Amino acid sequence: MTFIKLTLLAMIIAFFSVKLSWAHPGFRFGRGGHHGGISFGLSPQFYQFSCPQANDIVMSVLEKAIAKDMRMAASLLRLHFHDCFVQGCDASILLDDSRTIVSEKNSGPNKNSVRGFEVIDEIKSRLEEACPQTVSCADILALAARGSTVLSGGPNWELPLGRRDSKTASLSGSNKNIPPPNATIETLITFFKRQGLDEVDLVALSGAHTIGVARCATFKQRLYNQKGNNEPDENLEKSFYFDLKTMCPKSGGDNFISPLDFGSPRMFDNTYFKLILRGKGLLNSDEVLLVGNVKETRKLVKKYAEDESLFFEQFSTSMIKMGNLRPLTGFNGQVRKNCRRVN
């Protein structure tokens, strides 16, 4: 009898293992799991059977959104970054204020700055029609970041999927963990190391500034009072400095915008690094990669300026690494029906 029971139990486990792994390839039965012998990992094939059209749906929405608004690609890339640096890549940044949630959207780095929420809403709505309660908002952010990079002429990469969505947000974490635009090189390295990211990741991921814009408020200090002596940043190339002054006055104009990479603001390329070498990095956090007295970051800026394919390769690697920051998997978290609120 005992043998028969054990055989039946083995058959049941095998059956459910096959069912789960077909529905979600990231679900695996075996040693090393944290839930009764089940291990949960991210996998590029996670939606292979449960929602094979997921990426096509994401790309179709992105194509229209980016064609309508050239800034949107950079905005969606930034959303993923700002999400992953707070509680891990769990879509906590998408949660609105509610009775139980204090939204990260109101933090210093995010308020009047992060955007693209309506595009994420549209992607989620389309995915819910096709595959109800299957694709998480956290994975949508990761897919949208990759898709935005590709549609801007940048690299593609095999993206691990299977993240689940948080039931919480962290306003304090958002205020504390996202590097400020006026950061020194030491501060940047500290912020990235806190996330398990190194100097190579820092320089490569900073290359996302090859697209997008920044508000005058984020670089005004460099124009008028870099060291508290009412003098501009000496590292700014002169003609670039005068151009910036015309669109970013000393008082007012905080919401005026300038391209982060004025050489090719719509194209994901390595022009960003070439501009830094010429004293034309817009943010302090851009320029210090070169002038911040850290040999490794200076060397990488020069390498990526010379070799775009090397930059693309490392950007892809670092995006995968960042996208793997403390994801919720398995039975943790949930798949939200609406990305703005907990189920």
Side-chain angles (χ1 to χ4, degrees):
M1 281 295 287
T2 305
F3 174 75
I4 293 169
K5 284 179 183 176
L6 286 172
T7 305
L8 280 170
L9 182 61
M11 289 172 67
I12 290 165
I13 289 172
F15 172 77
F16 280 109
S17 175
V18 171
K19 292 285 280 185
L20 274 171
S21 62
W22 269 64
H24 300 286
F27 283 50
R28 294 188 296 276
F29 281 76
R31 290 174 182 266
H34 299 287
H35 296 276
I38 309 171
S39 65
F40 302 95
L42 302 184
S43 161
Q45 290 81 37
F46 192 83
Y47 299 112
Q48 184 177 356
F49 302 106
S50 58
C51 195
Q53 68 273 51
N55 190 58
D56 291 341
I57 290 171
V58 171
M59 293 301 285
S60 69
V61 175
L62 288 181
E63 283 172 6
K64 290 175 187 169
I66 293 169
K68 188 177 172 184
D69 176 2
M70 65 166 276
R71 292 174 56 194
M72 191 52 67
S75 297
L76 293 170
L77 200 52
R78 189 162 175 253
L79 261 187
H80 184 44
F81 176 82
H82 280 219
D83 179 46
C84 290
F85 267 55
V86 183
Q87 297 191 166
C89 307
D90 62 358
S92 59
I93 196 171
L94 302 178
L95 290 169
D96 286 338
D97 277 326
S98 70
R99 245 179 348 98
T100 56
I101 298 292
V102 180
S103 178
E104 293 171 17
K105 296 175 186 179
N106 297 318
S107 72
N110 291 337
K111 195 167 188 178
N112 301 320
S113 178
V114 286
R115 57 199 292 274
F117 299 107
E118 294 78 11
V119 177
I120 300 298
D121 289 340
E122 187 180 346
I123 292 170
K124 181 61 174 173
S125 175
R126 293 273 304 276
L127 284 167
E128 284 299 304
E129 285 174 20
C131 320
Q133 270 198 282
T134 301
V135 182
S136 69
C137 302
D139 276 346
I140 290 171
L141 284 173
L143 287 163
R146 180 182 66 174
S148 295
T149 302
V150 170
L151 290 172
S152 301
N156 199 348
W157 57 90
E158 192 172 57
L159 177 62
L161 298 165
R163 300 164 191 81
R164 285 166 68 84
D165 302 324
S166 68
K167 300 176 189 176
T168 61
S170 177
L171 180 65
S172 62
S174 186
N175 278 317
K176 189 175 73 174
N177 291 322
I178 296 169
N182 62 348
T184 64
I185 189 64
E186 293 81 12
T187 301
L188 288 171
I189 290 170
T190 299
F191 272 69
F192 272 69
K193 280 192 175 170
R194 199 185 289 164
Q195 305 293 340
L197 301 170
D198 59 23
E199 285 96 337
V200 179
D201 302 311
L202 165 61
V203 180
L205 292 172
S206 295
H209 286 175
T210 181
I211 54 174
V213 300
R215 293 161 62 235
C216 172
T218 63
F219 58 87
K220 183 178 283 192
Q221 172 188 320
R222 299 189 72 202
L223 304 179
Y224 302 104
N225 192 23
Q226 175 71 346
K227 293 180 179 175
N229 58 358
N230 292 315
E231 293 292 327
D233 185 344
E234 60 193 18
N235 294 305
L236 280 168
E237 192 272 339
K238 284 287 183 285
S239 64
F240 183 52
Y241 162 65
F242 288 118
D243 287 345
L244 290 176
K245 277 185 77 175
T246 61
M247 57 74 57
C248 186
K250 192 168 186 177
S251 60
D254 282 2
N255 289 322
F256 293 166
I257 56 174
S258 171
L260 286 155
D261 165 2
F262 70 88
S264 54
R266 297 184 187 206
M267 282 297 297
F268 196 102
D269 55 24
N270 69 336
T271 304
Y272 164 80
F273 295 105
K274 294 176 181 177
L275 291 172
I276 290 176
L277 291 177
R278 289 161 52 196
K280 296 183 178 183
L282 183 63
L283 304 178
N284 194 69
S285 59
D286 297 325
E287 197 63 35
V288 295
L289 299 175
L290 179 71
V291 302
N293 292 322
V294 174
K295 284 183 183 175
E296 177 72 1
T297 63
R298 189 186 312 132
K299 181 177 73 178
L300 288 166
V301 169
K302 292 174 180 175
K303 276 188 173 181
Y304 297 155
E306 290 167 7
D307 189 342
E308 186 176 78
S309 63
L310 179 67
F311 162 51
F312 279 14
E313 184 182 333
Q314 185 56 53
F315 182 80
S316 301
T317 300
S318 294
M319 282 295 287
I320 293 168
K321 190 173 171 183
M322 184 186 79
N324 288 351
L325 291 177
R326 304 181 302 284
L328 297 169
T329 58
F331 298 115
N332 295 312
Q334 61 182 204
V335 175
R336 289 184 214 140
K337 297 175 191 174
N338 180 331
C339 291
R340 291 173 180 265
R341 57 177 179 263
V342 174
N343 292 345

